[in-house]
Amino acid sequence: MELRHLRYFVVTAEAQHFTRAAELLGMAQPPLSQQIRQLEQEVGTPLFDRTGRGVALNDAGRAFLVCAQDILQRADAAMRTARRAARGEVGELTLGFTESASFNGVVTELIRQYRERYPEVEMTLSQGDSETLVARLREGAIDAAFVRPPFALEGGLAFTQLVEEPLVVALPLGHALARRKRLAPADLAREHFILYSRKSGYGLSADIMAACRQQGLSPRIGQQAPQLSSAVNLVAAGMGVAIVPASLRHLRPDGVVYRPFALDGPRAVLGLALRQHAPGARAANLLALARESRSR
């Protein structure tokens, strides 16, 4: 029994006439009558009472019609769902993000737009540092991630830059340098720096330290923090100063002020990483929306 047999049966039941049903189906009447008889043989009982003027459902046919209509509706719904899934309109998107990404307005606005455009996609968020998220992306554990370079793009990953932020210095409230409107590397010569280095030793923090050395500042490392927000909280505790992306100014614990930092060199890049080959329709839609928003 095939779906076409059920469709032939339903149309015939509704038309109550083989010739009229055949016209509706775009086929000749004899093949339709043959298909209906084959269906009845497979079911094991007649489904129609044949009359001189047409056909009428018998008790078995009326019971079979209810089931046939339900099967056809489910089959149509399954095809629509499959097509929507292929377009990335339904399903689940597992999205990784660094903690600092959650403070960036570009990222939060992009997530809002995505949820608005694809309301039936269930979004699962997974927080981690950039290195961990990139590794999980390679493993297929997540579909896409908001991360900060540098990191290796080997392993079939693609990275699209979304925003490039200036750097600011996080200072303890009441610090003498907080009276200045802008700071240069030389202003921080006596300060202890709070770093948020990666496991590999590479990353924005390492790039900032290298740029400071190129401008004649030899940073004194006072403390290592596991992530950017932790660095800001350690600043609030008076353990030193930290150089962070400007979007972290939205993180305002008591006891911290931010000042622009005049450093020739790195800026804080934030972007979207996903698998280069077969990223999945939902992740591809997120990337398309990101590019669309960036081009406005």
Side-chain angles (χ1 to χ4, degrees):
M1 187 183 302
E2 299 179 13
L3 288 176
R4 62 186 175 89
H5 295 136
L6 298 181
R7 290 194 177 94
Y8 294 163
F9 167 76
V10 169
V11 172
T12 303
E14 293 172 347
Q16 298 184 16
H17 199 280
F18 277 117
T19 301
R20 192 155 48 244
E23 291 174 355
L24 292 171
L25 290 166
M27 61 188 299
Q29 184 268 328
L32 174 61
S33 297
Q34 184 181 11
Q35 293 288 333
I36 294 297
R37 288 196 179 278
Q38 289 177 356
L39 175 63
E40 290 176 319
Q41 290 172 1
E42 187 168 356
V43 173
T45 184
L47 301 172
F48 292 100
D49 291 331
R50 272 77 172 172
T51 66
R53 296 183 177 182
V55 294
L57 289 171
N58 57 25
D59 288 343
R62 283 189 287 273
F64 190 76
L65 177 62
V66 174
C67 296
Q69 289 172 328
D70 180 63
I71 291 170
L72 291 174
Q73 289 171 359
R74 287 174 179 268
D76 289 341
M79 287 188 289
R80 289 194 300 270
T81 299
R83 290 167 184 157
R84 294 189 67 202
R87 296 192 298 266
E89 297 173 357
V90 295
E92 181 181 1
L93 176 72
T94 304
L95 181 61
F97 67 100
T98 64
E99 186 192 34
S100 64
S102 64
F103 295 100
N104 189 284
V106 172
V107 171
T108 54
E109 176 62 16
L110 180 56
I111 291 176
R112 186 196 67 78
Q113 291 178 9
Y114 184 86
R115 292 179 64 87
E116 185 176 275
R117 185 170 297 187
Y118 302 101
E120 294 185 54
V121 173
E122 182 180 350
M123 184 179 291
T124 301
L125 300 178
S126 176
Q127 183 178 317
D129 60 77
S130 291
E131 287 181 321
T132 299
L133 292 174
V134 166
R136 296 191 67 204
L137 189 57
R138 286 197 182 97
E139 296 166 358
I142 58 176
D143 300 310
F146 293 108
V147 290
R148 294 187 183 277
F151 47 79
L153 286 176
E154 297 95 37
L157 297 185
F159 177 77
T160 300
Q161 179 175 317
L162 299 179
V163 63
E164 188 179 68
E165 304 176 57
L167 299 171
V168 297
V169 181
L171 299 163
L173 185 65
H175 194 287
L177 293 175
R179 293 194 295 267
R180 302 189 185 185
K181 293 184 178 180
R182 186 179 182 85
L183 299 176
D187 298 324
L188 305 178
R190 297 182 178 180
E191 303 302 322
H192 288 89
F193 283 73
I194 300 170
L195 299 186
Y196 38 90
S197 298
R198 297 180 178 178
K199 302 179 186 73
S200 65
Y202 298 98
L204 177 61
S205 189
D207 291 344
I208 291 172
M209 294 300 100
C212 286
R213 293 186 183 96
Q214 290 177 357
Q215 292 184 232
L217 170 64
S218 297
R220 296 191 294 175
I221 311 303
Q223 185 67 42
Q224 295 278 351
Q227 51 196 10
L228 283 165
S229 64
S230 301
V232 173
N233 288 329
L234 291 177
V235 171
M239 299 188 69
V241 302
I243 302 172
V244 298
S247 59
L248 260 73
R249 286 179 295 191
H250 297 296
L251 180 62
R252 292 190 172 276
D254 293 337
V256 174
V257 294
Y258 299 93
R259 293 293 178 265
F261 191 41
L263 178 67
D264 295 332
R267 291 170 67 86
V269 173
L270 181 63
L272 182 65
L274 57 149
R275 288 181 291 279
Q276 190 169 22
H277 305 292
R282 291 174 290 275
N285 286 344
L286 178 63
L287 176 59
L289 184 59
R291 288 173 171 170
E292 176 187 319
S293 301
R294 193 177 60 174
S295 64
R296 290 173 185 163

